[in-house]
Amino acid sequence: MKKILFIIAASLMPVALSAQSAIDAYAMSQTDFRGTARFMAMGGAFGALGGDVTSMNQNPAGIGVYRSSDVSVTVDFDMQSAKSEDRSFSDKMDQTKVSCNSFGYIGAYRLNSDGLRTFNWGVSYNRSASKARAFRGQMRDLQSSLSNYIAGCVNDQGWTADELASADYATTSVPWINILAYDGSLINPRSDGKSFQGLYGDGTNGYGEYEVKEEGGVDEFNLSFGGNVKDVLYWGLSVGITDINYKTYTYYGEALDNAYINDDITGVGNVVMGSAMYALENYLHTTGTGFNLKLGVIARPNNMLRIGVAFHTPTYYSMKDAYNTSLGFDYSGQKSSVSTDYGETWYRLRTPWRFIGSLAGVIGTKGIISLDYERVAYDSMKLQDDYGNDYFDTNGDISNYYKGVNIIRIGAEYRVDPQLSLRAGYSYETSPVNDDALNNRIDIYTVSTTPAYGFDKDTQHFSFGAGYKFGKVYADIAYVHRTKEREYHAFSPVVAYGEASPSNLIKHNSDQIVATLGVRF
């Protein structure tokens, strides 16, 4: 797909955000279904099983199950596709990523005690979320324009043309998207001198297009301790240190016929009909470090039944955003571009807390069936400035847009012989988005020069795999298929006027091959 317009210089000039939004908080709080090949082959349903390096990221009581030391490394081949759909038009982007999914060490120590049979400790690395994603598409037959949306915001906020013309990016309280739109003539003063209009009006038609490229992710390093009490109760504690390094490029453009263009010759407030094309490009680099605690227990009342409970505190982050943007435009053959200053913002983020309840049944010496339920409280996310003061409006948006998520994971393993095991699993995660937000019944506020946003729907994972033991060495492999749909919106609906936002349905699918090699000693 060719972009409508590309007049932006190779070295993009910067832009700023005034703060963070609920959309940003969710993007940085998401975690992925990731771990060792055995963990993923069984759908991640390990909360009552343990005995796997991924236990440190899920239910740390699983480290207490170990009777011998373990070291392992996992590699992930992730083949992704993203297909956008808009009526009869569709577009698709594919990419393949190879990464080290996790590695870890667990040391097991037997104690000469009738009570505490073992005391174990471990360290691990896990990529808890991969942000590698790319998609693009078109929005045919636009019924409005981003320029009109910005003009409406400027009018509601009461900014005048003189204030926008004289605004200094470094010191102004004017939202940067307003200044950029004014400088790029996306919005034009009406003849009354007190309000603005966009490019779209009676008789205007056209289409929009977008592209998003993301890379990076969230890495977590865990230090865990656990033990075995009389082979009946297993306990564990993990301290997690997390690191975010996330880069995103977003592009949105429109091509409009019979657009309402300001006529510089006849004066302010006069418009002429013509063609209008513009392209808005943004770059964002988010970094941050945080910490969390995970607590868990596993009870083994008899040889057949395991019961697990785990609680994850929120991750408390110190964050930094660096960002830039540029706007290129072509009005009836008159081309130019504008850009803004460089911007950086420091802030704090508290991610959701998590609760996991688990059951597992052991069938003789051959089979295991396990079930996990997880609750992720996305409505409990919180944003603060760098001094710890709440962003009250944004935190209100979080509770308006998001809700708690329910995750069900089911896994099974069958031991064909002492060396070979076969595994299968399934997981289902509900949408984190409130119905009013998902169905265009409330306005969606963003604070950056990227008014676009996406809302995730349900997510499913289907998996199977196998494991083989060579004495003390073991090798596991898993295949995982993920399906997820997302509603991608160019900008917020305007509920007061009954205007829905231009949107596409994005179908994200991925096929992962995960391989783990380890040694127990």
Side-chain angles (χ1 to χ4, degrees), residues 140-183:
R140 301 281 184 158
D141 191 23
L142 289 176
Q143 301 300 305
S144 183
S145 166
L146 175 60
S147 63
N148 290 50
Y149 174 72
I150 297 172
C153 292
V154 172
N155 293 337
D156 288 344
Q157 295 159 8
W159 301 108
T160 67
D162 288 343
E163 289 172 321
L164 296 184
S166 62
D168 178 2
Y169 285 108
T171 60
T172 185
S173 60
V174 181
W176 282 28
I177 187 66
N178 296 355
I179 306 171
L180 192 66
Y182 177 81
D183 291 344

Side-chain angles (χ1 to χ4, degrees), residues 110-160:
R110 294 181 180 273
L111 304 177
N112 296 320
S113 170
D114 292 334
L116 188 61
R117 303 281 174 87
T118 61
F119 178 80
N120 304 334
W121 72 281
V123 291
S124 70
Y125 157 81
N126 187 66
R127 170 142 286 201
S128 60
S130 172
K131 299 299 182 182
R133 181 171 55 181
F135 58 93
R136 64 190 177 197
Q138 288 190 0
M139 297 169 176
R140 301 281 184 158
D141 191 23
L142 289 176
Q143 301 300 305
S144 183
S145 166
L146 175 60
S147 63
N148 290 50
Y149 174 72
I150 297 172
C153 292
V154 172
N155 293 337
D156 288 344
Q157 295 159 8
W159 301 108
T160 67

Side-chain angles (χ1 to χ4, degrees), residues 337-403:
S337 64
V338 292
S339 55
T340 64
D341 294 344
Y342 178 78
E344 293 182 341
T345 303
W346 290 262
Y347 58 100
R348 299 179 187 179
L349 167 65
R350 188 186 75 188
T351 69
W353 55 261
R354 296 169 178 265
F355 169 82
I356 304 171
S358 311
L359 288 173
V362 179
I363 306 170
T365 60
K366 291 286 189 179
I368 297 172
I369 297 176
S370 57
L371 172 68
D372 281 4
Y373 166 76
E374 182 172 351
R375 178 73 174 179
V376 185
Y378 281 110
D379 50 349
S380 70
M381 297 181 297
K382 181 177 284 189
L383 282 164
Q384 299 175 317
D385 66 21
D386 197 36
Y387 299 99
N389 302 307
D390 285 354
Y391 291 137
F392 290 106
D393 291 342
T394 302
N395 293 331
D397 292 339
I398 288 173
S399 60
N400 288 334
Y401 304 166
Y402 295 104
K403 61 184 178 182

Side-chain angles (χ1 to χ4, degrees), residues 36-47:
T36 65
R38 185 182 181 215
F39 173 87
M40 297 185 72
M42 295 180 65
F46 259 77

Side-chain angles (χ1 to χ4, degrees), residues 400-401 403 431-442:
N400 288 334
Y401 304 166
K403 61 184 178 182
S431 170
V433 186
N434 281 321
D435 289 344
D436 285 345
L438 195 61
N439 296 312
N440 288 312
R441 292 198 289 263
I442 58 176

Side-chain angles (χ1 to χ4, degrees), residues 415-433:
R415 183 174 294 175
V416 178
D417 57 43
Q419 285 74 45
L420 177 64
S421 297
L422 302 179
R423 300 154 185 152
Y426 171 76
S427 73
Y428 176 80
E429 179 176 340
T430 61
S431 170
V433 186

